[in-house]
Every structure is written in structure tokens, then in C-alpha cells.
């Protein structure tokens, strides 16, 4: 394709052609710059995180509670809180997401309900997460009368569902129909065909979707602010406010205390590393599946 | 197809053990079908539930202030008078500036990835840019507050004030002291955040352009840029606009990154360097501290407005992406 740019002695001299080539060269340079610019941000952000956060990563960060301002401490309670909230969110959201995706790809592939659900699900996929927080506040926190870990987990589950629905449907649609037909010809009931054949063939893709969903919610802050709130102390009680890394980062980063800001950077580094690791694993999984 | 296997012929029904197994299988089948259908309907119910819950929560404020809620600027928790125009304005202005910056750059990166990039580098660069999309927004927030905003305050904003601030017409936009945080900073962070969305969607639609169209244009002597400008972009226009709208939907609803750097001032300033607020930043900052039903309700009403705006934008985006999928697929 690039050969077309090559000139012959006669055309190179016409001013129009020279102008077109100049314009082309300029745009190509701009495109290169744009790509470098895009990647530079990742480098800058990761660099700042490592620079500011790495000094705080020590045994202490994983073994001590969040401190009051002015004294040392770690991030144990928010780390555990984040693990609990994320785990529960995935545990609630994944089955619903997989079942809904199964319906769309296996049972109602061509019907009206599926196309409506697909449209709505795609919108939920990018809906503002703070609205999810308000919704859970209205349905759980207000009736219960207090903030709670379980409300936070539900809010995260609502964010998990659309991600899992989307990947499950996409992956099941990739399973060749001949596999299903062969299984059906052996006399397997429909539910078995889905369980044993379709899920089996799409497993890596569905797991990828779940990993991406975990990556997505492990950094979510907005839906936790008024559901799980935050907790300065050790608590694994799901019926009480629960600490989480994003909420602690939000609180500590905006505080005037230097120790708190340091811990916020450390927490930010931990979350970013976890999210990047999850997305890289998910990508490796899906590409090894393709080959 | 499978149902045939389950139909009991007369000789099968005669065997009670076999009939029992078949009944069980049929029951399992029906249960699983009902379960999956219920889950699919639950996704719809979720959306309905969000709208109803927000409407109910927003009712007290909306009925008290009526239409004034979306047209006035007052935001006074003490006297309990609330008007949402300042956060609505902030949301729209930051998102539009972000799109003005991110769309051309995102399209250029997509051009780079589909036409110019050496093939071995395509995948790694594509992945790098997609990883940017995976970084949680709170990371952009803390980075924006401690690294990006001070940098802007020290180097970029004084330069803007000295150059553009002196020009007639633009001076209004770049007036005032360089705070570092403010509307412009929030818009720039948003631009960095939505860049990967625009890039990855436009790359996907650019790759779907039939090669013979491009080859025909190259054969006529078009340069790479001319092929991109006159063949690729017109062919994929709907898809690109869909991707841009999707990114806009993200930008409108983005919370944490903006909350850190916008400064949270409930007023509309003509200067882009002044602090402002957005709908999501207002909710994130004030919701847990809101005392009184009207205050809480006003914040939920803000959430409802945000949801309605993003819903319309995202629905339009999906509709356009569906159209291009149909045309290409």
C-alpha cells in the first residue's frame, strides 16, 4: 500500500502532487505522535504510582490497620474489605450474568426479549457507576437504616452483571452449532447440551469475562461511597460499614495529613497492579483460547 | 431439536424407570430454561428498578422546586434551596472539552494502528492503549490531584493566561489565577480517560473496511491520508460516531477522577481555569454528609438527571453501532 507514495520524475514536480504528499507526510507524523502521546500517559501514570507508592509497600502495609492521622499504620482492613466486597460482588453477579447470557445465546437467540436485553445491557455496561450507588442506597441502605458491607457488595454485583452477560453471550455465540447438534443427536436434553457442550467450549471466554469484571470492580469507588461507606477499624461484619481500598484512597488522598496521603499512594499502587495483572491474565487466556 | 428425544413413544412410557428418568430430565430442562429466562428479565428489571428508585428518591426535591431545579444556580444546604444548573453545566462543559481533545487524537491513533504501525508492534501498542482503559478512575484522580494539577498550575496555565488570556474573545475563557485544579484540568483528565475507548472502537470499525475499497483508492494514486480521509472515514462514519458517543457517555458519568480535580465550586464561571463542579462530583462529595430529606433528595434528583442524559447518549451510541454492525456484518 505504501508503494503508491513513490513518485515518478514527472509527477513530483507538479505543485498539487507535492502538496498532497506533504500533507500525507504531515498526517503520518501526527499519527505517530498521537500513538506515542497515548502510550506516554500510561508510562507517566505508572511511573508516578511506582515513584510515590513503592516506598510504602512493606510488610507493615499488609499487617497493620489504617492509622489515625499523624501515626504510622497499614492498609490491612481496607485490603481485606476490598477482597470481601469484590468476592461477594462477583459471587452474586456472576451466576445471574451467566444465566442471562445463556438465555440470550442458547434459548432466545433470535427473539425480541434477547434484542431488548442486549440493548439495555449494553447501556448498563457504561452507565455511570455513581448512579448504581444511589440506587442501592435507595433500595438497601435507606430501608436498613445504616450503611453496610452487603449493600456495597450488591452495588458491585450490579456492575458485574452487564460485563458477564456480554462476554457470556459473545462466547456462547462463537460455539459452533454443529457441536450442539451432535450432542442433541445423541439424545442429550437441552440443559445438558448447554452445560456439557456449550459451557465446555466457551469456558475460557467466560472465565475471561469474569476476570475482566473483577478488574472492573476492584477499583470502583463511586458505588461504594454511600453503600459500604468506609471503616477506620477492623470489621468483617457484613451488616456494618466496611473499609475498602478505593474508599480509603479517596478519604486519605483528600486529607491534609502527609502519612495518609502516602498510604493513599500505596493503596493506589496496589489496586493498579492488581487490575493490570487481572487484565493481562484475561487477555492471555482469551488469546491462548483463540489459537 | 432436542425435544424429540424426550417425547415418550408408547414403548418407552411402558418402562416406568425410564419414564421417571425422562420426566426428571424434562423437569431439569424446564427449570434451567426458566432460570435463564428469569435472569435475562432481571437485567431488564434492574434498569426499571434504577429508574423507579431514583424517581421516588428525587420526588421530594422535584416537587418542591419544580422546573426551577434545572434552571437556577443556587445551591444552599442551609436554607435548603437547590438548583442544578451549575453541576449540569460543569458536566457538559468538561465532557465536551474532553471530547474535543480526545476524538482527533483517538482517531489518529486508530489510523496509526490500522495503516501505519509495523505489524509486530500492532498488538503490543493496541494492548497498551487498552490497558489505559482498565486503570480505575480513582487512580486518574489521585494522579491528577498530586501530579497533573500542580504541573498544570506551574507551567501550562500561566502560559495559557499569558498567551490566550490576552486575546480578545478568548480572554474570558482563560481569566483568573492558575489554581491548578478546575474545569480545564478535569476536562484534560477526562480526555486521557476516554482516549482508549475512542481508539479501540474506531480501530475495530476501521479494520472492518473491505480491503478492496482501500486498494481501489490506492490504485487511483491516493495517499495514505487521502484513503483514510475519503474512503475509511466516510465508510465507517456511523461506527465512529457511535464510538464517540459511547466515550461521551463515559465522560458524562465519570466520578472519581473529576471529583479530585474539579474543585467543587457550585457556580458557573466563564473561565475554564476556575473551579467548578459536575453532577457526579457533587453527589460523591456531598451525599454522605447531606442532612435533611430535601438535601438528599436534591442529590438523588441530580443522579436522575445524570442517568437520563447518559441513557440518551448511550442509547444513541448503541443504535449507531448496531447500524454499522448490520452494514458490515
Amino acid at each position: 500500500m505504501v508503494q503508491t507514495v513513490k513518485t515518478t520524475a514527472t509527477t513530483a514536480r507538479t505543485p498539487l502532487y507535492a502538496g498532497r504528499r506533504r500533507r500525507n507526510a504531515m498526517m503520518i507524523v501526527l499519527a505517530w505522535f498521537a500513538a506515542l502521546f497515548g502510550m506516554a500517559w500510561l508510562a507517566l501514570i505508572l511511573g508516578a504510582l511506582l515513584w510515590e507508592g513503592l516506598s510504602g509497600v512493606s510488610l507493615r502495609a499488609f499487617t497493620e490497620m489504617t492509622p489515625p492521622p499523624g501515626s504510622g499504620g497499614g492498609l490491612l482492613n481496607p485490603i481485606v474489605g476490598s477482597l470481601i466486597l469484590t468476592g461477594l460482588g462477583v459471587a452474586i453477579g456472576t451466576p445471574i450474568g451467566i444465566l442471562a447470557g445463556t438465555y440470550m445465546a442458547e434459548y432466545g437467540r433470535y427473539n425480541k426479549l434477547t434484542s431488548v436485553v442486549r440493548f439495555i445491557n449494553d447501556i448498563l455496561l457504561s452507565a455511570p457507576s455513581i448512579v448504581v450507588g444511589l440506587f442501592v442506597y435507595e433500595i438497601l441502605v435507606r430501608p436498613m437504616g445504616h450503611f453496610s458491607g452487603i449493600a456495597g457488595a450488591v452495588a458491585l454485583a450490579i456492575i458485574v452483571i452487564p460485563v458477564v452477560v456480554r462476554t457470556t453471550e459473545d462466547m456462547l455465540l462463537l460455539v459452533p452449532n454443529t457441536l450442539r447438534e451432535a450432542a442433541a443427536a445423541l439424545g442429550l436434553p437441552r440443559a445438558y447440551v448447554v452445560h456439557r457442550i456449550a459451557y465446555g467450549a466457551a469456558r475460557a471466554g467466560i472465565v475471561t469475562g469474569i476476570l475482566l469484571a473483577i478488574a472492573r470492580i476492584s477499583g470502583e469507588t463511586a458505588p461504594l461511597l454511600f453503600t459500604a461507606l468506609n471503616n477506620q477499624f477492623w470489621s468483617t461484619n457484613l451488616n456494618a460499614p466496611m473499609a475498602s481500598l478505593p474508599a480509603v484512597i479517596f478519604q486519605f488522598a483528600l486529607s491534609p495529613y502527609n502519612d495518609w496521603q502516602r498510604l493513599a499512594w500505596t493503596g493506589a499502587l496496589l489496586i493498579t497492579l492488581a487490575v493490570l495483572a487481572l487484565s493481562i491474565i484475561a487477555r492471555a487466556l482469551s488469546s491462548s483460547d483463540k489459537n | 431439536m432436542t425435544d424429540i428425544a424426550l417425547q415418550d413413544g408408547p414403548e418407552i412410557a411402558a418402562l416406568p424407570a425410564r419414564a421417571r428418568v425422562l420426566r426428571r430430565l424434562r423437569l431439569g430442562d424446564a427449570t434451567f430454561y426458566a432460570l435463564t429466562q428469569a435472569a435475562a428479565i432481571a437485567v431488564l428489571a434492574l434498569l426499571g428498578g434504577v429508574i423507579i428508585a431514583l424517581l421516588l428518591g428525587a420526588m421530594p426535591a422535584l416537587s418542591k422546586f419544580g422546573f426551577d431545579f434545572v434552571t437556577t444556580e443556587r445551591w444552599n444546604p442551609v436554607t435548603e434551596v437547590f438548583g442544578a444548573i451549575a453541576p449540569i453545566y460543569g458536566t457538559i462543559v468538561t465532557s465536551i472539552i474532553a471530547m474535543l481533545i480526545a476524538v482527533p487524537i483517538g482517531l489518529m491513533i486508530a489510523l496509526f494502528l490500522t495503516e501505519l504501525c509495523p505489524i509486530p508492534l500492532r498488538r503490543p501498542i493496541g494492548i497498551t492503549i487498552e490497558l489505559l482503559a482498565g486503570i480505575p478512575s480513582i487512580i486518574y484522580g489521585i494522579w491528577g490531584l498530586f501530579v497533573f494539577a500542580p504541573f498544570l498550575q506551574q507551567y501550562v496555565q500561566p502560559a495559557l493566561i499569558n498567551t490566550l488570556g490576552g486575546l480578545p474573545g478568548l480572554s474570558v475563557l482563560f481569566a483568573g489565577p492558575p489554581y491548578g485544579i478546575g474545569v480545564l484540568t478535569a476536562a484534560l483528565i477526562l480526555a486521557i480517560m476516554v482516549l482508549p475507548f475512542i481508539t479501540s472502537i474506531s480501530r475495530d470499525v476501521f479494520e472492518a473496511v473491505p480491503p478492496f475499497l482501500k486498494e481501489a483508492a490506492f490504485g487511483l494514486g491516493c495517499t495514505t491520508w487521502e484513503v483514510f480521509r475519503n474512503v475509511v472515514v466516510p465508510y465507517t462514519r456511523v461506527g465512529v460516531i457511535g464510538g464517540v458517543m459511547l466515550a461521551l457517555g463515559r465522560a458524562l458519568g465519570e466520578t472519581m477522577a473529576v471529583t479530585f480535580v474539579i474543585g467543587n465550586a457550585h457556580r458557573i464561571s466563564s473561565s475554564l481555569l476556575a473551579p467548578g463542579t459536575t453532577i457526579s462530583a457533587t453527589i460523591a462529595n456531598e451525599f454522605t454528609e447531606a442532612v435533611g430529606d430535601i438535601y438528599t433528595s436534591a442529590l438523588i434528583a441530580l443522579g436522575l438527571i445524570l442517568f437520563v442524559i447518559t441513557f440518551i447518549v448511550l442509547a444513541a451510541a448503541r443504535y449507531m453501532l448496531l447500524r454499522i454492525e448490520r452494514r458490515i456484518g
Side-chain angles (χ1 to χ4, degrees), chain A residues 20 24 122 138 188 191 246 283, chain B residues 2 29 130 221 225-226 300:
Chain A
R20 285 172 54 202
N24 186 49
D122 279 349
E138 280 293 302
L188 281 185
R283 239 163 256 281
Chain B
T2 37
D29 243 11
E130 279 165 30
W225 170 251
E226 284 163 349
I300 294 176

Side-chain angles (χ1 to χ4, degrees), chain A residues 49-74:
Chain A
L49 277 171
L50 288 172
W51 179 259
E52 301 275 354
L54 208 53
S55 59
V57 179
S58 61
L59 195 61
R60 219 171 159 195
F62 298 96
T63 52
E64 286 181 26
M65 305 297 150
T66 47
S71 58

Side-chain angles (χ1 to χ4, degrees), chain A residues 10 26 31 42 52 55 97 102-103 106 136-137 153 156 169 198 202:
Chain A
T10 46
M26 200 175 79
L42 188 67
E52 301 275 354
S55 59
T102 306
Y103 176 82
E106 298 287 332
V136 174
Y137 176 87
L156 292 181
E169 194 206 357

Side-chain angles (χ1 to χ4, degrees), chain A residues 57 62 88 91 119 125-126 142 152 173 188 195 203 232 243 255 272 280:
Chain A
V57 179
F62 298 96
L88 260 181
F119 193 75
L125 202 57
S126 356
R142 201 200 280 264
L173 287 178
L188 281 185
H195 275 237
R203 185 183 297 134
Q232 199 71 30
S255 76
T272 311
I280 290 170

